[in-house]
Amino acid sequence: MNGLVVSPGQGRRLVTKAQEITFKVTASQGTFASVFEVVVPPGFDVGAHVHTRQEELFYILEGQLDLCAFEPIERTPDDWRGWTSPEGDRVTRAGSGSCMFVPPGCPHAFTNPTDEPTRVLFLSYPPPDHESYFEELSRIFSHGAEVDSNAVQRLRDRYDVDQITPLRHGTPAS
């Protein structure tokens, strides 16, 4: 039995207009988690969403993200960035070295509000759900200038992603 060493720049890459994802550890190597390095471009907003089965961990390597991982007092359908939890939690501007853990059932979101790309180490359990999701999402994003939002929704429905606010990519929203 051998372990795995993945050097910088190594791994299978998926590049779309929304994100750049490098598969570092996949279900073919073990059952611990799927591990990805993700480059989040300026203005990308994954939109608030929730999973019933998935656990996720985000660790910011370089750059900044606005992060949210709580049930808000009110789930507003257009924008999560003004959410507040009953305990007073609010969206956090997080930089390098910051970490966000998301258990199943917890609404969460992130956006890159800056003018620079942000690099994130992303772990997802159980594998290979996010591996398959990212592969299919990259095919959707590769078709033409406009993203087929219905195709994205069908994909999310199949992969335990209950979307609360829209996914957006483009100009950073301050």
Side-chain angles (χ1 to χ4, degrees), residues 5-32:
V5 175
V6 183
S7 299
Q10 298 292 301
R12 188 166 56 89
R13 291 182 58 210
L14 292 176
V15 179
T16 72
K17 58 185 160 186
Q19 294 182 81
E20 178 182 320
I21 300 159
T22 303
F23 291 62
K24 296 292 191 176
V25 179
T26 64
S28 65
Q29 284 99 21
T31 59
F32 164 70

Side-chain angles (χ1 to χ4, degrees), residues 22-25 32 34-40 56-62 65 98-100 110 118-124:
T22 303
F23 291 62
K24 296 292 191 176
V25 179
F32 164 70
S34 298
V35 181
F36 314 92
E37 184 176 324
V38 179
V39 177
V40 183
E56 298 176 331
L57 184 125
F58 301 84
Y59 185 88
I60 300 174
L61 299 168
E62 294 175 355
L65 294 176
S98 297
C99 178
M100 176 173 75
F110 66 83
T118 297
R119 275 189 336 113
V120 177
L121 186 67
F122 170 56
L123 287 78
S124 174

